[in-house]
Amino acid sequence: MASLVTIIFIAAAVIIGIGIIAVIVGFVKKTAHSAEAQVVKELVNLVSENGMDFVSEPEHPRLISNMNRIYLPQIERDFPGFNWDEIRLMLEKEIAKKFDEKADFEIEETVISRYEKSNGKYRISCETAA
């Protein structure tokens, strides 16, 4: 049973991570604040439609890869208008609003875990612990 709980939790974390990447990439491509909010809402809907569920009490605390100290200055240098606090709060708010009805959980932390640049494309990966 513990391994099933672990698998479900890892799957949920992966889906959230992929979704958060899509939102941040959308942010970089769009400049209007209302468009950013719409991307976040669509992301949360997409994740929830794919059957994502939360495990209420994991057996062990989960670690996330907080690389904000390393990647955030690089991202802000590449995108001067990037506001991590605003994006993080929007993501957490939309995730909490969407899944609050389905599970009793609390978002603990959202971090940038990776930043990649290749052939003019940028990818920001994030993780959320809940």
Side-chain angles (χ1 to χ4, degrees), residues 107-126:
I107 294 176
E108 305 228 351
E109 185 176 22
T110 299
V111 299
I112 298 170
S113 59
R114 188 175 216 176
Y115 179 53
E116 300 171 286
K117 299 185 271 188
S118 177
N119 299 326
K121 294 183 181 181
Y122 299 85
R123 179 177 295 219
I124 301 169
S125 302
C126 300

PDB file of all heavy atoms in Angstrom, residues 107-126:
ATOM      1  N   ILE A 107      -0.624  23.840   0.283  1.00  0.00           N
ATOM      2  CA  ILE A 107       0.591  24.042  -0.499  1.00  0.00           C
ATOM      3  C   ILE A 107       1.667  24.566   0.435  1.00  0.00           C
ATOM      4  O   ILE A 107       1.475  25.555   1.124  1.00  0.00           O
ATOM      5  CB  ILE A 107       0.345  25.011  -1.665  1.00  0.00           C
ATOM      6  CG1 ILE A 107      -0.626  24.366  -2.659  1.00  0.00           C
ATOM      7  CG2 ILE A 107       1.659  25.393  -2.343  1.00  0.00           C
ATOM      8  CD1 ILE A 107      -1.032  25.247  -3.804  1.00  0.00           C
ATOM      9  N   GLU A 108       2.785  23.860   0.446  1.00  0.00           N
ATOM     10  CA  GLU A 108       3.877  24.232   1.335  1.00  0.00           C
ATOM     11  C   GLU A 108       4.886  25.145   0.648  1.00  0.00           C
ATOM     12  O   GLU A 108       5.374  26.093   1.240  1.00  0.00           O
ATOM     13  CB  GLU A 108       4.579  22.972   1.830  1.00  0.00           C
ATOM     14  CG  GLU A 108       3.619  22.017   2.483  1.00  0.00           C
ATOM     15  CD  GLU A 108       4.114  21.509   3.799  1.00  0.00           C
ATOM     16  OE1 GLU A 108       5.267  21.763   4.142  1.00  0.00           O
ATOM     17  OE2 GLU A 108       3.322  20.851   4.470  1.00  0.00           O
ATOM     18  N   GLU A 109       5.205  24.813  -0.619  1.00  0.00           N
ATOM     19  CA  GLU A 109       6.257  25.564  -1.287  1.00  0.00           C
ATOM     20  C   GLU A 109       6.199  25.309  -2.783  1.00  0.00           C
ATOM     21  O   GLU A 109       5.908  24.208  -3.227  1.00  0.00           O
ATOM     22  CB  GLU A 109       7.616  25.110  -0.742  1.00  0.00           C
ATOM     23  CG  GLU A 109       8.795  25.873  -1.235  1.00  0.00           C
ATOM     24  CD  GLU A 109      10.093  25.442  -0.581  1.00  0.00           C
ATOM     25  OE1 GLU A 109      10.186  24.321  -0.065  1.00  0.00           O
ATOM     26  OE2 GLU A 109      11.025  26.243  -0.595  1.00  0.00           O
ATOM     27  N   THR A 110       6.500  26.352  -3.557  1.00  0.00           N
ATOM     28  CA  THR A 110       6.660  26.225  -5.003  1.00  0.00           C
ATOM     29  C   THR A 110       8.000  26.848  -5.348  1.00  0.00           C
ATOM     30  O   THR A 110       8.300  27.963  -4.911  1.00  0.00           O
ATOM     31  CB  THR A 110       5.523  26.955  -5.752  1.00  0.00           C
ATOM     32  OG1 THR A 110       4.275  26.356  -5.390  1.00  0.00           O
ATOM     33  CG2 THR A 110       5.705  26.866  -7.256  1.00  0.00           C
ATOM     34  N   VAL A 111       8.801  26.098  -6.095  1.00  0.00           N
ATOM     35  CA  VAL A 111      10.162  26.545  -6.398  1.00  0.00           C
ATOM     36  C   VAL A 111      10.495  26.332  -7.873  1.00  0.00           C
ATOM     37  O   VAL A 111       9.854  25.547  -8.561  1.00  0.00           O
ATOM     38  CB  VAL A 111      11.206  25.795  -5.539  1.00  0.00           C
ATOM     39  CG1 VAL A 111      10.980  26.051  -4.058  1.00  0.00           C
ATOM     40  CG2 VAL A 111      11.206  24.311  -5.843  1.00  0.00           C
ATOM     41  N   ILE A 112      11.520  27.024  -8.322  1.00  0.00           N
ATOM     42  CA  ILE A 112      12.083  26.779  -9.643  1.00  0.00           C
ATOM     43  C   ILE A 112      13.108  25.666  -9.468  1.00  0.00           C
ATOM     44  O   ILE A 112      14.004  25.767  -8.627  1.00  0.00           O
ATOM     45  CB  ILE A 112      12.742  28.043 -10.214  1.00  0.00           C
ATOM     46  CG1 ILE A 112      11.691  29.146 -10.390  1.00  0.00           C
ATOM     47  CG2 ILE A 112      13.460  27.738 -11.533  1.00  0.00           C
ATOM     48  CD1 ILE A 112      12.270  30.506 -10.711  1.00  0.00           C
ATOM     49  N   SER A 113      12.973  24.597 -10.234  1.00  0.00           N
ATOM     50  CA  SER A 113      13.895  23.473 -10.086  1.00  0.00           C
ATOM     51  C   SER A 113      14.893  23.359 -11.240  1.00  0.00           C
ATOM     52  O   SER A 113      15.911  22.678 -11.110  1.00  0.00           O
ATOM     53  CB  SER A 113      13.123  22.160  -9.952  1.00  0.00           C
ATOM     54  OG  SER A 113      12.308  21.952 -11.077  1.00  0.00           O
ATOM     55  N   ARG A 114      14.609  24.051 -12.368  1.00  0.00           N
ATOM     56  CA  ARG A 114      15.511  23.953 -13.509  1.00  0.00           C
ATOM     57  C   ARG A 114      15.223  25.085 -14.493  1.00  0.00           C
ATOM     58  O   ARG A 114      14.088  25.515 -14.632  1.00  0.00           O
ATOM     59  CB  ARG A 114      15.301  22.610 -14.190  1.00  0.00           C
ATOM     60  CG  ARG A 114      16.277  22.293 -15.260  1.00  0.00           C
ATOM     61  CD  ARG A 114      16.033  20.896 -15.756  1.00  0.00           C
ATOM     62  NE  ARG A 114      17.319  20.309 -16.064  1.00  0.00           N
ATOM     63  CZ  ARG A 114      17.484  19.082 -16.452  1.00  0.00           C
ATOM     64  NH1 ARG A 114      16.465  18.275 -16.529  1.00  0.00           N
ATOM     65  NH2 ARG A 114      18.665  18.634 -16.759  1.00  0.00           N
ATOM     66  N   TYR A 115      16.260  25.537 -15.191  1.00  0.00           N
ATOM     67  CA  TYR A 115      16.125  26.553 -16.231  1.00  0.00           C
ATOM     68  C   TYR A 115      17.051  26.169 -17.368  1.00  0.00           C
ATOM     69  O   TYR A 115      18.253  26.017 -17.180  1.00  0.00           O
ATOM     70  CB  TYR A 115      16.477  27.941 -15.672  1.00  0.00           C
ATOM     71  CG  TYR A 115      16.396  29.063 -16.677  1.00  0.00           C
ATOM     72  CD1 TYR A 115      15.250  29.269 -17.431  1.00  0.00           C
ATOM     73  CD2 TYR A 115      17.459  29.930 -16.859  1.00  0.00           C
ATOM     74  CE1 TYR A 115      15.172  30.313 -18.331  1.00  0.00           C
ATOM     75  CE2 TYR A 115      17.391  30.978 -17.759  1.00  0.00           C
ATOM     76  CZ  TYR A 115      16.240  31.169 -18.494  1.00  0.00           C
ATOM     77  OH  TYR A 115      16.160  32.199 -19.392  1.00  0.00           O
ATOM     78  N   GLU A 116      16.482  25.996 -18.554  1.00  0.00           N
ATOM     79  CA  GLU A 116      17.266  25.572 -19.706  1.00  0.00           C
ATOM     80  C   GLU A 116      17.045  26.520 -20.873  1.00  0.00           C
ATOM     81  O   GLU A 116      15.923  26.971 -21.109  1.00  0.00           O
ATOM     82  CB  GLU A 116      16.844  24.168 -20.146  1.00  0.00           C
ATOM     83  CG  GLU A 116      17.030  23.117 -19.077  1.00  0.00           C
ATOM     84  CD  GLU A 116      16.398  21.807 -19.467  1.00  0.00           C
ATOM     85  OE1 GLU A 116      15.149  21.719 -19.423  1.00  0.00           O
ATOM     86  OE2 GLU A 116      17.159  20.891 -19.833  1.00  0.00           O
ATOM     87  N   LYS A 117      18.134  26.785 -21.612  1.00  0.00           N
ATOM     88  CA  LYS A 117      18.064  27.590 -22.824  1.00  0.00           C
ATOM     89  C   LYS A 117      18.703  26.764 -23.934  1.00  0.00           C
ATOM     90  O   LYS A 117      19.805  26.266 -23.789  1.00  0.00           O
ATOM     91  CB  LYS A 117      18.839  28.894 -22.667  1.00  0.00           C
ATOM     92  CG  LYS A 117      18.341  29.794 -21.565  1.00  0.00           C
ATOM     93  CD  LYS A 117      19.081  31.100 -21.553  1.00  0.00           C
ATOM     94  CE  LYS A 117      20.307  31.009 -20.678  1.00  0.00           C
ATOM     95  NZ  LYS A 117      20.974  32.300 -20.477  1.00  0.00           N
ATOM     96  N   SER A 118      17.974  26.619 -25.060  1.00  0.00           N
ATOM     97  CA  SER A 118      18.504  25.846 -26.174  1.00  0.00           C
ATOM     98  C   SER A 118      17.859  26.308 -27.474  1.00  0.00           C
ATOM     99  O   SER A 118      16.627  26.312 -27.589  1.00  0.00           O
ATOM    100  CB  SER A 118      18.229  24.357 -25.955  1.00  0.00           C
ATOM    101  OG  SER A 118      18.669  23.599 -27.055  1.00  0.00           O
ATOM    102  N   ASN A 119      18.684  26.693 -28.436  1.00  0.00           N
ATOM    103  CA  ASN A 119      18.202  27.096 -29.762  1.00  0.00           C
ATOM    104  C   ASN A 119      17.117  28.166 -29.692  1.00  0.00           C
ATOM    105  O   ASN A 119      16.105  28.068 -30.378  1.00  0.00           O
ATOM    106  CB  ASN A 119      17.692  25.881 -30.540  1.00  0.00           C
ATOM    107  CG  ASN A 119      18.781  24.855 -30.769  1.00  0.00           C
ATOM    108  OD1 ASN A 119      19.940  25.208 -30.945  1.00  0.00           O
ATOM    109  ND2 ASN A 119      18.406  23.593 -30.748  1.00  0.00           N
ATOM    110  N   GLY A 120      17.295  29.142 -28.855  1.00  0.00           N
ATOM    111  CA  GLY A 120      16.327  30.225 -28.744  1.00  0.00           C
ATOM    112  C   GLY A 120      15.071  29.884 -27.975  1.00  0.00           C
ATOM    113  O   GLY A 120      14.149  30.671 -27.912  1.00  0.00           O
ATOM    114  N   LYS A 121      15.015  28.693 -27.379  1.00  0.00           N
ATOM    115  CA  LYS A 121      13.863  28.288 -26.570  1.00  0.00           C
ATOM    116  C   LYS A 121      14.282  28.245 -25.108  1.00  0.00           C
ATOM    117  O   LYS A 121      15.393  27.864 -24.776  1.00  0.00           O
ATOM    118  CB  LYS A 121      13.351  26.920 -27.005  1.00  0.00           C
ATOM    119  CG  LYS A 121      12.780  26.922 -28.405  1.00  0.00           C
ATOM    120  CD  LYS A 121      12.232  25.574 -28.770  1.00  0.00           C
ATOM    121  CE  LYS A 121      11.684  25.603 -30.189  1.00  0.00           C
ATOM    122  NZ  LYS A 121      11.122  24.329 -30.576  1.00  0.00           N
ATOM    123  N   TYR A 122      13.342  28.623 -24.258  1.00  0.00           N
ATOM    124  CA  TYR A 122      13.606  28.665 -22.825  1.00  0.00           C
ATOM    125  C   TYR A 122      12.621  27.748 -22.123  1.00  0.00           C
ATOM    126  O   TYR A 122      11.450  27.694 -22.470  1.00  0.00           O
ATOM    127  CB  TYR A 122      13.417  30.095 -22.297  1.00  0.00           C
ATOM    128  CG  TYR A 122      14.369  31.080 -22.947  1.00  0.00           C
ATOM    129  CD1 TYR A 122      14.063  31.676 -24.166  1.00  0.00           C
ATOM    130  CD2 TYR A 122      15.567  31.377 -22.350  1.00  0.00           C
ATOM    131  CE1 TYR A 122      14.936  32.558 -24.772  1.00  0.00           C
ATOM    132  CE2 TYR A 122      16.447  32.285 -22.939  1.00  0.00           C
ATOM    133  CZ  TYR A 122      16.128  32.867 -24.149  1.00  0.00           C
ATOM    134  OH  TYR A 122      17.006  33.736 -24.735  1.00  0.00           O
ATOM    135  N   ARG A 123      13.116  27.033 -21.115  1.00  0.00           N
ATOM    136  CA  ARG A 123      12.243  26.125 -20.351  1.00  0.00           C
ATOM    137  C   ARG A 123      12.532  26.324 -18.865  1.00  0.00           C
ATOM    138  O   ARG A 123      13.667  26.180 -18.414  1.00  0.00           O
ATOM    139  CB  ARG A 123      12.504  24.679 -20.724  1.00  0.00           C
ATOM    140  CG  ARG A 123      11.635  23.717 -19.932  1.00  0.00           C
ATOM    141  CD  ARG A 123      11.883  22.322 -20.376  1.00  0.00           C
ATOM    142  NE  ARG A 123      11.425  22.258 -21.769  1.00  0.00           N
ATOM    143  CZ  ARG A 123      10.792  21.224 -22.279  1.00  0.00           C
ATOM    144  NH1 ARG A 123      10.574  20.172 -21.563  1.00  0.00           N
ATOM    145  NH2 ARG A 123      10.404  21.223 -23.525  1.00  0.00           N
ATOM    146  N   ILE A 124      11.470  26.641 -18.133  1.00  0.00           N
ATOM    147  CA  ILE A 124      11.569  26.796 -16.682  1.00  0.00           C
ATOM    148  C   ILE A 124      10.764  25.670 -16.064  1.00  0.00           C
ATOM    149  O   ILE A 124       9.571  25.532 -16.328  1.00  0.00           O
ATOM    150  CB  ILE A 124      11.016  28.163 -16.219  1.00  0.00           C
ATOM    151  CG1 ILE A 124      11.782  29.300 -16.882  1.00  0.00           C
ATOM    152  CG2 ILE A 124      11.077  28.269 -14.693  1.00  0.00           C
ATOM    153  CD1 ILE A 124      11.151  30.666 -16.706  1.00  0.00           C
ATOM    154  N   SER A 125      11.417  24.855 -15.241  1.00  0.00           N
ATOM    155  CA  SER A 125      10.731  23.760 -14.560  1.00  0.00           C
ATOM    156  C   SER A 125      10.537  24.138 -13.109  1.00  0.00           C
ATOM    157  O   SER A 125      11.444  24.679 -12.476  1.00  0.00           O
ATOM    158  CB  SER A 125      11.566  22.467 -14.642  1.00  0.00           C
ATOM    159  OG  SER A 125      11.808  22.120 -15.979  1.00  0.00           O
ATOM    160  N   CYS A 126       9.359  23.832 -12.593  1.00  0.00           N
ATOM    161  CA  CYS A 126       9.042  24.161 -11.209  1.00  0.00           C
ATOM    162  C   CYS A 126       8.494  22.928 -10.506  1.00  0.00           C
ATOM    163  O   CYS A 126       8.013  21.995 -11.139  1.00  0.00           O
ATOM    164  CB  CYS A 126       8.005  25.264 -11.158  1.00  0.00           C
ATOM    165  SG  CYS A 126       8.527  26.784 -11.936  1.00  0.00           S
TER     166      CYS A 126
END
